[in-house]
Amino acid sequence: EVEGCDGLSRRCNQGQSLTTKRHDALCDVVYNALLTDDSRCRREARCSSSNQTRPGDVYHPDFERGLPAYFDLSVRSSLQPSFLTQAASHPGATSDAGEMEKDERHHLNVSSTGRFFYPLVVETLGLWTASSLQLLKIIARRASFKHNVSFSQSVCYFHQQLSTRLWCSNAKIRLATVGVF
């Protein structure tokens, strides 16, 4: 996430940024939902240097038409000065721009290997891109089969998990910026 006006460069005790912890918390929710669909899913390792790239945060070996898929989660701040005006007049401008950036960076490379690439992009205040919401419903539907719950219950529970993780992480970031945390 590009640093915005919400104190995103704060570090926690272990040296890992709070925004990285927020990202990882959301990835855990997606990973656990995908894991119920296929036990061979895995979290991808974080790159050790800034010049390395990886196509996604979570890998699913058999997601669509028997082909593997990478899911790349991104949290974007609509409080960035470069997006503030546009985000005020166009809800979702920040997440839409993040999705385009992820697609430009990874989609062609991943699809050329016969795999699928799915960016999952949310703004810090909880607004997901339209394609991310569609994909989250597909993930929830697949998880509902394994848990023997209705599709609507599964979608509701999945969104609640994501929202709770996002807002708890946002609260930690906010508290860190005022020196309480």
Side-chain angles (χ1 to χ4, degrees):
E1 175 175 342
V2 178
E3 188 169 336
C5 298
D6 51 357
L8 299 179
S9 61
R10 293 285 182 175
R11 302 240 172 235
C12 60
N13 295 339
Q14 296 81 13
Q16 188 180 37
S17 76
L18 290 173
T19 55
T20 300
K21 285 188 169 288
R22 174 178 59 195
H23 168 271
D24 289 351
L26 294 172
C27 284
D28 287 343
V29 174
V30 171
Y31 169 70
N32 287 328
L34 288 169
L35 197 57
T36 63
D37 181 51
D38 191 318
S39 63
R40 299 171 297 157
C41 289
R42 68 175 188 261
R43 287 285 309 266
E44 292 296 288
R46 187 169 302 286
C47 294
S48 59
S49 70
S50 61
N51 63 351
Q52 290 179 321
T53 184
R54 62 188 168 112
D57 298 303
V58 180
Y59 171 80
H60 189 296
D62 183 22
F63 187 74
E64 189 172 327
R65 298 189 307 251
L67 296 173
Y70 288 97
F71 298 86
D72 190 18
L73 197 127
S74 181
V75 182
R76 300 298 172 121
S77 175
S78 54
L79 302 176
Q80 298 173 53
S82 60
F83 282 109
L84 201 52
T85 303
Q86 190 177 8
S89 61
H90 173 66
T94 308
S95 54
D96 289 343
E99 185 174 81
M100 284 183 9
E101 177 189 317
K102 290 289 185 177
D103 269 337
E104 288 172 4
R105 186 180 304 157
H106 298 295
H107 183 75
L108 186 58
N109 289 337
V110 172
S111 62
S112 69
T113 64
R115 295 176 171 93
F116 290 95
F117 174 74
Y118 299 108
L120 293 167
V121 185
V122 64
E123 292 183 6
T124 54
L125 302 178
L127 184 63
W128 292 87
T129 63
S131 60
S132 294
L133 285 173
Q134 289 176 342
L135 188 57
L136 292 172
K137 283 182 181 178
I138 292 168
I139 293 170
R141 176 179 289 125
R142 292 173 76 140
S144 72
F145 295 135
K146 293 286 184 173
H147 292 295
N148 198 25
V149 297
S150 73
F151 171 62
S152 61
Q153 285 177 311
S154 183
V155 169
C156 181
Y157 180 65
F158 190 40
H159 282 285
Q160 284 175 337
Q161 285 185 323
L162 290 165
S163 295
T164 301
R165 296 278 179 104
L166 178 64
W167 280 97
C168 286
S169 297
N170 286 342
K172 288 178 183 178
I173 291 169
R174 178 55 46 214
L175 290 172
T177 62
V178 295
V180 177
F181 185 67

